[in-house]
Amino acid sequence: MISSHYVAKSPKGDFLDLTIEIGLPEPDPEPGGDFRCKVTINAFKFEKFSFGVDQLQAHSLSIKLLNLLLVEKQTQGWLFYFPDDLDHAMDFENGFF
C-alpha cells in the first residue's frame, strides 16, 4: 500500500488531516476479473476500486480515480496542502498528477 499525508481545508475553513491510500494491484476476485487497486481517503469516507486488464493499468486508473475525486472536491471549495507548506495550495486541475 502507498500512503501519503496531506492537509485539507474545507470550504468553511476547517482543517483536517487527510491520508490517501492506494493499494497495490491485486487480482480481482470476481470471475473473469483482471486486476484492481483500492483507493481510500478515510476523511471523505471514500473507498473504491479501480480495475484494469493488468497491474499497470489498474494502478494507473487508481491515480486517475484519485485525481477525479480531488478535482471534484477542489471545485466544491476544498483546498489541499502538503503538511509543511500551508501557504501554497496544490492545484489538481493543472497537472499535479
Side-chain angles (χ1 to χ4, degrees):
M1 175 183 311
I2 300 166
S3 178
S4 296
H5 303 282
Y6 303 96
V7 174
K9 183 178 179 183
S10 77
K12 295 178 181 179
D14 301 321
F15 285 91
L16 62 114
D17 290 326
L18 190 73
T19 299
I20 297 173
E21 297 174 343
I22 299 177
L24 297 174
E26 63 184 26
D28 181 1
E30 293 293 319
D34 294 313
F35 289 90
R36 68 183 190 175
C37 286
K38 186 178 187 181
V39 178
T40 306
I41 304 176
N42 288 333
F44 293 142
K45 296 180 171 76
F46 182 85
E47 182 176 288
K48 292 193 183 219
F49 285 94
S50 63
F51 297 88
V53 297
D54 60 17
Q55 293 173 333
L56 181 59
Q57 186 182 42
H59 185 262
S60 296
L61 291 174
S62 70
I63 300 297
K64 182 66 176 172
L65 175 63
L66 182 59
N67 187 357
L68 289 171
L69 172 71
L70 295 174
V71 166
E72 178 184 347
K73 291 292 187 185
Q74 197 173 281
T75 60
Q76 294 170 353
W78 286 84
L79 297 173
F80 301 94
Y81 303 91
F82 289 108
D84 296 333
D85 187 6
L86 299 180
D87 294 327
H88 302 96
M90 294 182 267
D91 186 358
F92 295 111
E93 289 186 288
N94 289 314
F96 187 80
F97 286 97

